[in-house]
Amino acid sequence: MALSGLCAIHCLTTAVLVALAASVGGLLLNPLIHEVGLAIAIVLGAVALVLGGLRHRFIQPAAMGGLGLGIMAGAISLPHDGSGETLWTLIGVAILALGHDLNRRAVA
């Protein structure tokens, strides 16, 4: 009887989790999510890198961050069929992260 109860719980839980995964997966593949995320990244990245540049009087972090954001913006214009959008996005993110790291290491 306990085994049957566990089986019922397992079946119900699996069905609910699969349904949730399908719903969330569809939402995360929506291009609007990527566009809004990129807009937020551009605003936050620009503010952080400009403020850091003004504080440290060192332009290289802002230049690297700007390059990374530009590559990310270019990547979002590529087709969403796996033809390089992900690769270029990751390259842009890595360059942006390098800009943030340079900004963090800069001394006033």
Side-chain angles (χ1 to χ4, degrees):
M1 199 161 146
L3 191 56
S4 294
L6 287 175
C7 181
I9 291 170
H10 167 75
C11 291
L12 180 61
T13 304
T14 301
V16 170
L17 289 177
V18 167
L20 285 174
S23 297
V24 171
L27 176 68
L28 293 176
L29 292 176
N30 185 340
L32 184 61
I33 296 292
H34 297 117
E35 293 163 6
V36 169
L38 177 63
I40 292 169
I42 288 172
V43 170
L44 293 178
V47 168
L49 292 167
V50 168
L51 290 177
L54 293 173
R55 179 177 175 200
H56 303 299
R57 308 257 184 229
F58 188 49
I59 195 69
Q60 187 180 9
M64 293 300 292
L67 176 63
L69 289 171
I71 290 173
M72 290 167 58
I76 205 167
S77 69
L78 295 173
H80 300 299
D81 61 0
S83 63
E85 177 194 16
T86 302
L87 175 65
W88 284 107
T89 299
L90 291 175
I91 291 170
V93 167
I95 293 172
L96 177 60
L98 174 62
H100 281 299
D101 186 55
L102 290 170
N103 196 25
R104 182 184 59 83
R105 292 174 188 244
V107 292

